Amino acid sequence: MIRTKLCDLVGIEYPIFQGGMAWTATGDLAAAVSEAGGLGIIGSGQAPADWVRREIRKVKDTTAKPFGVNIMLMSPYVDEIMHVIVEERVPVITTGAGNPGKYVGMLKEIGTKVIPVVASVALARRLEKVGVDALIAEGMESGGHVGEISTLPLVPQIIDAVKIPVIAAGGIVDGRGLAAALALGAEGVQMGTRFMCADECTISPKVKEMILKAKDRDTAVTGHSTGHPVRCLENKFTREFSRMEREQVPAAELEKLGAGRLRLAMVEGDTENGSVMSGQVAGAVKKIEPAAEIIRDVMEGAERELKRLAQLISS
Ligand code: TUI
């Protein structure tokens, strides 16, 4: 049985967060992950506050266990969503794509744990100072909006820079990844791509199929020229976008071209023209299974690996 400080901090059995993926992590997935003993997280993305409230209620109707909401800080609805978080007394929030500093005080006042995703040591240091409860250090192996540093160099550098618990994200798909994250000093992991293939994940089956078929080199990062690099499975859309970036099409035009593409993939199932955000571990996702099975497999695998490693030590 593996338990870490993170389990006590947020009241979960297993140190596994499910990434709060936009247009992907609905209340259905979050409820299943939380009920199975991890932390399920609703991905609010650019959805309006009413949608977020509905998904929160869905989780509350399904499980009494803790859950979270991810707030994408580039969303135009951040302030309204923060109000919903406060009204609904959401136990945990994670944030992405920005600095949540100005909201921390108000959330801490109501006892919500604030756990931002960071991709650099500088932001980790700044956020520790404003009083966040923990940090998710996300390497550029992740799907979606990414930083510049890989998980292996990022996680220990952030751990050395702060005193609060750090959760590793990016490139983690099984028990070996959890064991490796614990070896780096992390208190747990966040996984996104593998949970996209959970039974309870409501995205289009076509996206799940594309992940199952993916190989190790099938993701690409586009959007460096817009300042918002995004990792997706390669398709017609990423190839067109990359070509336009090489031709130095202005950022504003590219941003317009990208609008609505994530929904197009995840909801409509258009895996050619949509943005199929996925991590580099897509090639390691082998089947569609219940969220509870994913958690069981990761925990069993980590325990097996840690025991094997302990045996390498000769006294
Ligand atoms: O946020 C994510 N992943 C995401 S957000 C998203 S929705 C989106 N769609 C189109 C374009 C952009 C986003 C899809 N995937 N992960 C957490 C994360 N945050 N990764 C990197 C960052 C980050 C980057 C820069 C956090 C802070 C930051 O700078 C803030 C500052 O003030 O220094």
Side-chain angles (χ1 to χ4, degrees), residues 1-3 6-7 12-17 36-39 295 299:
M1 172 92 168
I2 299 168
R3 256 191 95 80
L6 181 65
C7 300
I12 52 179
E13 290 149 74
Y14 309 114
I16 300 174
F17 282 18
L39 190 78
I295 289 178
M299 292 309 300

Side-chain angles (χ1 to χ4, degrees), residues 90-132:
V90 172
V92 181
I93 69 132
T94 62
T95 63
N99 181 343
K102 69 174 182 180
Y103 301 105
V104 174
M106 132 195 164
L107 291 165
K108 292 210 65 158
E109 224 167 81
I110 59 154
T112 294
K113 302 286 185 232
V114 182
I115 310 185
V117 177
V118 296
S120 71
V121 170
L123 186 58
R125 283 208 170 100
R126 243 181 286 152
L127 289 172
E128 181 181 43
K129 283 198 193 111
V130 298
V132 303

